[in-house]
């Protein structure tokens, strides 16, 4: 399965969830939230398409502390790819930033998130 990415920040963010985290920015957003600070991620055609299995392997190698925040763009617009990604990241502490209300986050993804 393919996922469209904007970038991955391996430097270690302390503002994108608990602890020091790797941040994966997906490309593509149709919500266009007012005040969005990632508007460069809106156009899905400006991203890089990668295979989710390759991404899982890369994250397992480079995200040494196994803490990942998935942001965007809007991750849930690529629901199937994000679902495959979180399923493949065994033992990861995963956070998800979304513009959707909590009750609209699919349970299949919620089961992999930490609160």
């Amino acid at each position: 399965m393919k996922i469209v990415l904007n970038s991955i920040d391996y430097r270690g963010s302390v503002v994108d969830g608990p602890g020091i985290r790797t941040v994966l920015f997906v490309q593509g957003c149709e919500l266009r939230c007012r005040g969005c600070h990632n508007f460069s991620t809106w156009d899905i055609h400006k991203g890089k398409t990668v295979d989710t299995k390759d991404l899982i392997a890369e994250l397992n190698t480079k995200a040494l502390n196994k803490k990942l925040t998935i942001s965007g763009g809007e991750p849930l617009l690529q629901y199937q790819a994000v679902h495959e990604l979180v399923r493949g990241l065994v033992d990861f502490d995963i956070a998800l930033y979304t513009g959707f209300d909590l009750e609209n986050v699919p349970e299949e993804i919620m089961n992999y998130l930490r609160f």
Side-chain angles (χ1 to χ4, degrees):
M1 179 165 297
K2 302 292 185 184
I3 188 167
V4 184
L5 302 182
N6 176 276
S7 61
I8 305 173
D9 183 355
Y10 289 107
R11 295 173 298 173
S13 172
V14 295
V15 297
D16 291 296
I20 300 171
R21 310 183 71 81
T22 297
V23 184
L24 183 148
F25 296 93
V26 299
Q27 186 74 23
C29 184
E30 297 172 354
L31 299 177
R32 311 286 200 266
C33 296
R34 186 173 179 207
C36 175
H37 67 280
N38 285 346
F39 57 86
S40 65
T41 65
W42 288 359
D43 185 350
I44 198 163
H45 301 293
K46 292 185 177 179
K48 176 183 177 186
T49 301
V50 299
D51 190 276
T52 53
K53 290 179 182 162
D54 294 338
L55 180 57
I56 291 166
E58 179 179 327
L59 289 167
N60 272 305
T61 300
K62 293 185 176 179
L64 299 178
N65 68 354
K66 306 291 188 211
K67 293 179 184 279
L68 176 70
T69 296
I70 304 170
S71 190
E74 176 49 60
L76 295 181
L77 293 180
Q78 298 188 64
Y79 160 76
Q80 290 179 323
V82 170
H83 185 226
E84 184 171 298
L85 177 65
V86 297
R87 277 194 342 248
L89 293 173
V90 180
D91 297 327
F92 267 70
D93 177 319
I94 300 172
L96 176 79
Y97 278 99
T98 177
F100 287 90
D101 292 330
L102 187 60
E103 59 268 10
N104 294 324
V105 177
E107 186 176 336
E108 297 84 20
I109 290 180
M110 289 288 292
N111 291 334
Y112 294 93
L113 305 180
R114 306 278 174 138
F115 294 92

